[in-house]
């Protein structure tokens, strides 16, 4: 009974998880997805993910949903066929295209975590890292480095710092740990230390959505301020 009264001590309410629509070839990847789901449930944290019920995406969303957590699946209408992604778990938010999907996932989340995945996972992860680098948001970004899956990516980032393409302070944007529990703890303690480029730019006005642009308000949920920046919103092609 006491366990049911556990209070969420997290400073976050909702995590966005990027991960593969495949389960991978190692049991450790599936175990990591289930562990992350259990960790979110234990801390009373909600989940935002890319929709569907296949692969690691399905495992983590089903685990959170089964544990009583609120799950939001944001998925492009073209991928909603059950033959492609399976049935989305929890609340379904259909969107027009992949670009809107990423913007909506960012809007509804306060923190980002990447499990192992392929091209799509890497693209989503690098985009939110870039947004943080530019100062568009200051939300923590972490990856679960299961069995060293992301070792080469982390080595690449260190090489980019050494060769002058990433500032040392901006290298701190990416937080990593081998397990979900360790990573969540690191993200709880995360303090932004990087220098955002956009933060030094002059303010921009929020444009009409008909002009196919949106502002950083979409990512932060905040009113227009000194860090407002315009981002392109592409139409489905």
């Amino acid at each position: 009974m006491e366990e049911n009264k556990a209070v969420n001590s997290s400073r976050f309410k909702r995590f966005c998880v990027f991960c593969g629509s495949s389960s991978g070839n190692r049991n450790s990847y599936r175990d990591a997805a289930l562990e992350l789901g259990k960790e979110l449930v234990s801390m009373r944290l909600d989940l935002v993910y890319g929709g569907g019920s296949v692969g690691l995406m399905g495992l983590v969303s089903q685990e959170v949903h089964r544990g009583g957590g609120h799950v939001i699946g944001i998925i492009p209408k073209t991928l909603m066929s059950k033959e492609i992604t399976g049935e989305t778990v929890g609340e379904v938010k259909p969107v027009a295209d992949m670009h809107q999907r990423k913007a909506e996932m960012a809007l509804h989340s306060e923190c980002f975590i990447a499990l192992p995945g392929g091209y799509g996972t890497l693209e989503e992860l690098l985009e939110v890292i870039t947004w943080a680098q530019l100062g568009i948001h200051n939300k923590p970004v972490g990856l679960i480095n299961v069995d060293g899956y992301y070792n080469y990516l982390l080595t690449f980032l260190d090489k980019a710092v050494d060769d002058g393409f990433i500032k040392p302070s901006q290298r701190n944007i990416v937080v990593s740990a081998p397990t979900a529990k360790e990573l969540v703890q690191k993200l709880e303690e995360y303090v932004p230390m990087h220098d955002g480029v956009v933060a030094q730019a002059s303010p921009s006005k929020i444009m009409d959505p008909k002009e196919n642009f949106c502002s950083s308000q979409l990512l932060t949920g905040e009113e227009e301020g000194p860090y407002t920046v315009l981002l392109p919103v592409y139409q489905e092609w």
Side-chain angles (χ1 to χ4, degrees), residues 16-19 112-116 121 125 142-145 150 183:
C16 177
V17 175
F18 305 129
C19 57
F112 304 96
I113 288 182
L115 282 161
T121 300
L125 173 64
L143 54 88
I144 303 178
N145 193 20
Y150 282 112
L183 180 62

Side-chain angles (χ1 to χ4, degrees), residues 111-159:
C111 192
F112 304 96
I113 288 182
L115 282 161
Y119 289 139
T121 300
L122 189 61
E123 190 265 345
E124 291 168 332
L125 173 64
L126 291 178
E127 183 148 356
V128 294
I129 291 171
T130 303
W131 288 346
Q133 180 187 38
L134 294 173
I136 294 172
H137 73 77
N138 61 2
K139 301 174 182 181
V141 181
L143 54 88
I144 303 178
N145 193 20
V146 185
D147 287 348
Y149 182 80
Y150 282 112
N151 280 352
Y152 289 118
L153 174 60
L154 296 172
T155 299
F156 162 76
L157 296 179
D158 292 334
K159 175 66 172 174

Side-chain angles (χ1 to χ4, degrees), residues 47-176:
L47 169 69
V48 176
Y49 81 117
S53 58
V54 297
L56 299 186
M57 295 171 66
L59 289 174
V60 66
S61 60
Q62 290 163 4
E63 190 66 28
V64 173
H65 190 259
R66 185 163 46 241
H70 184 61
V71 177
I72 300 176
I74 300 174
I75 184 168
K77 295 175 183 177
T78 53
L79 297 181
M80 288 185 69
S81 168
K82 295 179 182 178
E83 287 77 17
I84 299 176
T85 62
E87 187 172 356
T88 295
V89 176
E91 180 183 351
V92 183
K93 284 187 175 291
V95 293
D97 51 44
M98 299 292 283
H99 299 283
Q100 187 182 356
R101 178 200 223 175
K102 289 181 291 184
E104 288 289 332
M105 289 171 78
L107 171 65
H108 291 287
S109 307
E110 298 168 322
C111 192
F112 304 96
I113 288 182
L115 282 161
Y119 289 139
T121 300
L122 189 61
E123 190 265 345
E124 291 168 332
L125 173 64
L126 291 178
E127 183 148 356
V128 294
I129 291 171
T130 303
W131 288 346
Q133 180 187 38
L134 294 173
I136 294 172
H137 73 77
N138 61 2
K139 301 174 182 181
V141 181
L143 54 88
I144 303 178
N145 193 20
V146 185
D147 287 348
Y149 182 80
Y150 282 112
N151 280 352
Y152 289 118
L153 174 60
L154 296 172
T155 299
F156 162 76
L157 296 179
D158 292 334
K159 175 66 172 174
V161 172
D162 291 342
D163 286 5
F165 291 101
I166 296 176
K167 294 180 180 179
S169 61
Q170 294 172 343
R171 172 63 179 84
N172 296 325
I173 292 171
V174 183
V175 180
S176 65

